[in-house]
Amino acid sequence: VQLVESGGDSVRAGGSLRLSCTASRDLHGRYCMGWFRRTPSLEREGVALLDVSGHDDYADSVKGRFIISIDSANNTLYLQMNTLKPEDTAMYYCAADHPTPAGLCPGVERVADLGHSGPGTQVTVS
């Protein structure tokens, strides 16, 4: 599966952005999907996860501010980011992979380990 992110930009603290991730195939209900970010210090952090049952989970650092969602008709995964902070500055990547044979997805902290990811989109908050 090919993934391409878009929507990154430079914004002021307190602002909002919506990132998009267009997939080459329908992922809904078939793949574990999520977003992770790579900070300027090159640390990777899982940000949001959407499992095959449609349940979402978030890193504590973004809980209450970010929302992950999917538009199955357009094979697009979104990340709505509100009340942005300078520490949200990072390259953001979407990722996807098949669940385990038991239908389980990894925790949000392991989204960066999913097998497929895109080239990323840069978010800068000042």
Side-chain angles (χ1 to χ4, degrees):
V1 58
Q2 283 76 48
L3 304 169
V4 179
E5 304 91 342
S6 62
D9 204 346
S10 296
V11 296
R12 294 286 184 89
S16 297
L17 279 176
R18 188 176 77 161
L19 305 183
S20 301
C21 172
T22 302
S24 59
R25 66 182 68 171
D26 182 12
L27 303 180
H28 192 216
R30 298 179 176 85
Y31 284 78
C32 308
M33 298 171 283
W35 292 88
F36 69 95
R37 61 190 180 188
R38 187 184 299 272
T39 66
S41 60
L42 301 183
E43 294 181 19
R44 295 193 313 176
E45 178 187 17
V47 173
L49 173 75
L50 189 65
D51 72 15
V52 293
S53 300
H55 298 116
D56 56 2
D57 196 13
Y58 302 90
D60 288 343
S61 58
V62 306
K63 200 168 289 184
R65 300 189 296 122
F66 290 11
I67 301 171
I68 188 171
S69 63
I70 188 166
D71 178 352
S72 298
N74 293 299
N75 294 347
T76 302
L77 185 71
Y78 297 104
L79 184 68
Q80 178 67 43
M81 306 188 297
N82 301 317
T83 319
L84 283 161
K85 304 175 181 180
E87 51 265 42
D88 294 319
T89 294
M91 183 73 82
Y92 283 73
Y93 303 85
C94 66
D97 209 344
H98 292 289
T100 67
L104 300 176
C105 293
V108 63
E109 68 280 1
R110 292 183 55 199
V111 168
D113 296 331
L114 294 176
H116 306 278
S117 61
T121 187
Q122 177 68 38
V123 173
T124 303
V125 185
S126 60

